[in-house]
Amino acid sequence: MLLASFLGVVMGLVLGLTGAGGGILAVPALVLGLGWTMTQAAPVALLAVGSAAAVGAIDGLRHGLVRYRAALLIALLGAVFSPVGIYFAHRLPEKILMMLFSLLMVLVAARMLRRETAQPGPSDHGAASWGQKNCMLDRETGRLAWTARCTATLSALGAVTGMVSGLLGVGGGFLIVPAFKQLTDVQMRGIVATSLMVISLISLIGVVGAFHAGVSIDRVGAAFIVASIVGMMLGRHLSAKVPARALQVGFAGVCLGVAVFMLLRA
């Protein structure tokens, strides 16, 4: 139980520092650290990620950064498709699931290593010209303009995120953050806060589906979940004091190392 608590704190800490990265460490922590199978680890990882992300999302709501309508739409589609991912997760061989997860970690590491240009300004109001992005902020109200194109884009993002979260037990922040950056003109503070809300909603919905399928969480899993919340609060406190680039490179290195280890085990 002590090891589970330590791993939970580390996962929550990374999630709090990166806004959308620590969740992908939850499954490897349980599989490699505690010797669980992917099927056992996925629901505990989802609940830990969802609970920790909810802490960050509440903080984002307090500061008015969450695009809650977009978050609710993505989470709604995620709720529809997450059970589909859970269905396949219980029918695919363990070896295939581990290989898919390893590939996912490599892709996340590659994205984290890419250098990105800073977006100045204290708000999350973007600076793209109208029509450049699929979802644009209204210059007068500061809210997303809900065109058919924007609605379809966010719906598709929700479907993919829900499927992957159910299949591999991850929150989906690694998909939501880059997608929001590419497809909307919302800036990073708003993207991270919105991502955390979506992660919490989709993860908790996925857990309900897992419980419905007969999955249970023991004391070790509960300790991991509680520790992840503690780690999230610590990470949010430290996030302003740690250089962002150092976080990205360090996290990418961890992802690559864990991916190689899981592939060798598979």
Side-chain angles (χ1 to χ4, degrees), residues 124-137:
D124 64 339
H125 199 287
S129 299
W130 183 258
Q132 285 184 329
K133 303 282 188 176
N134 288 27
C135 294
M136 302 290 296
L137 296 176

Side-chain angles (χ1 to χ4, degrees), residues 139-196:
R139 296 303 176 186
E140 294 182 1
T141 65
R143 297 180 177 180
L144 284 173
W146 285 93
T147 62
R149 182 186 182 190
C150 180
T151 302
T153 297
L154 296 181
S155 297
L157 176 59
V160 174
T161 302
M163 176 80 77
V164 174
S165 70
L167 180 64
L168 299 177
V170 293
F174 64 94
L175 288 173
I176 298 165
V177 170
F180 252 80
K181 290 178 66 177
Q182 181 68 30
L183 300 172
T184 80
D185 64 339
V186 177
Q187 289 193 358
M188 273 308 297
R189 290 181 67 212
I191 290 173
V192 169
T194 303
S195 173
L196 287 174

Side-chain angles (χ1 to χ4, degrees), residues 50-190:
S51 301
V55 175
I58 291 170
D59 183 59
L61 283 168
R62 287 177 53 243
H63 290 89
L65 294 172
V66 176
R67 300 287 166 179
Y68 59 90
R69 292 185 180 88
L72 289 173
L73 176 62
I74 295 171
L76 177 62
L77 269 295
V80 174
F81 284 88
S82 179
V84 179
I86 293 173
Y87 174 86
F88 284 108
H90 283 82
R91 283 157 181 80
L92 288 174
E94 182 77 6
K95 188 175 183 178
I96 298 298
L97 289 175
M98 291 185 72
M99 291 176 67
L100 287 173
F101 200 97
S102 299
L103 175 61
L104 184 61
M105 295 197 77
V106 171
L107 294 175
V108 170
R111 185 184 68 81
M112 295 293 285
L113 287 172
R114 288 177 55 191
R115 287 191 173 273
E116 300 174 2
T117 56
Q119 294 179 312
S123 73
D124 64 339
H125 199 287
S129 299
W130 183 258
Q132 285 184 329
K133 303 282 188 176
N134 288 27
C135 294
M136 302 290 296
L137 296 176
D138 187 289
R139 296 303 176 186
E140 294 182 1
T141 65
R143 297 180 177 180
L144 284 173
W146 285 93
T147 62
R149 182 186 182 190
C150 180
T151 302
T153 297
L154 296 181
S155 297
L157 176 59
V160 174
T161 302
M163 176 80 77
V164 174
S165 70
L167 180 64
L168 299 177
V170 293
F174 64 94
L175 288 173
I176 298 165
V177 170
F180 252 80
K181 290 178 66 177
Q182 181 68 30
L183 300 172
T184 80
D185 64 339
V186 177
Q187 289 193 358
M188 273 308 297
R189 290 181 67 212

Side-chain angles (χ1 to χ4, degrees), residues 11 15 22-23 26 44-54 169-171 199-200 203 228:
M11 190 280 292
L15 181 61
V44 175
L46 276 176
L47 187 52
V49 170
S51 301
V170 293
I199 291 169
S200 64
S203 297
S228 70

